[in-house]
């Protein structure tokens, strides 16, 4: 039999209590000094730790949260819908004006064609009627005629 499977009585163990030992104070190590001209002398802060050590350093400004962008009073969707509606109305108005212009231009061209037909037709009528009237007609010279008692003598 293996010892893990053997029944045993729980043994009492001795409890050891460990006390933390403080670290010895750190010996400062001299770092090479590099002369730098600061724009402004920052404030130096010192903090005394509970064990008596003093930590000195520059104060770090807490991070400022990003300013929240002001939310507009009107939603972006409403603005887009309104602009789309205005654009649609502008296109419809432009199409109405274009249709009116085309109708007016068509009427004007129709009137010009009718006017040309009337003028050309009148000219043709004058040419046809004017030449046929001269061919078969009788010319009477009233100044040379002599009238005697209701008789015409020529």
């Amino acid at each position: 039999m293996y010892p893990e499977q053997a029944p045993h009585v729980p043994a009492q163990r001795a409890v050891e209590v460990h006390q933390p030992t403080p670290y010895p104070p750190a010996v400062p190590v001299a770092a090479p000094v590099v002369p730098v001209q600061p724009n402004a002398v920052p404030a130096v802060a010192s903090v005394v730790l509970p064990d008596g050590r003093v930590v000195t350093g520059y104060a770090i400004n807490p991070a400022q949260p990003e300013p929240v962008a002001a939310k507009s009073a009107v939603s972006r969707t409403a603005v887009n819908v309104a602009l789309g509606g205005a654009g649609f109305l502008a296109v419809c108005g432009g199409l109405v004006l274009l249709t009116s212009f085309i109708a007016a231009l068509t009427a004007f061209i129709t009137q010009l064609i009718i006017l040309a037909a009337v003028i050309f037709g009148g000219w043709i009528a004058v040419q046809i009627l004017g030449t046929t009237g001269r061919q078969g007609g009788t010319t009477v010279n009233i100044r040379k005629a002599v009238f005697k008692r209701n008789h015409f003598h020529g």
Side-chain angles (χ1 to χ4, degrees):
M1 247 184 160
Y2 293 103
E4 291 86 28
Q5 296 175 352
H8 63 280
V9 178
Q12 293 181 354
R13 297 184 185 187
V15 179
E16 295 179 23
V17 178
H18 294 282
Q19 295 294 329
T21 55
Y23 287 117
V27 178
V29 177
V33 178
V34 178
V36 177
Q37 293 293 328
N39 292 340
V41 179
V44 177
S46 297
V47 177
V48 179
L49 297 177
D51 62 353
R53 291 182 293 164
V54 177
V55 178
T56 304
Y58 296 107
I60 299 174
N61 294 333
Q64 297 293 329
E66 291 288 329
V68 178
K71 193 170 184 180
S72 62
V74 180
S75 71
R76 184 176 293 256
T77 304
V79 171
N80 289 341
V81 168
L83 289 176
F88 179 74
L89 289 177
V91 168
C92 289
L95 289 175
V96 166
L97 288 176
L98 180 65
T99 305
S100 300
F101 174 75
I102 290 173
L105 186 63
T106 303
F108 178 69
I109 291 173
T110 304
Q111 288 177 355
L112 286 179
I113 290 172
I114 291 172
L115 180 65
V118 167
I119 291 174
F120 186 69
W123 181 77
I124 289 179
V126 167
Q127 296 298 320
I128 291 174
L129 295 177
T131 56
T132 54
R134 292 182 191 152
Q135 289 174 355
T138 304
T139 304
V140 177
N141 192 348
I142 297 178
R143 292 183 187 165
K144 294 181 179 178
V146 178
F147 291 95
K148 288 188 178 179
R149 290 192 181 184
N150 297 329
H151 294 290
F152 175 75
H153 300 279

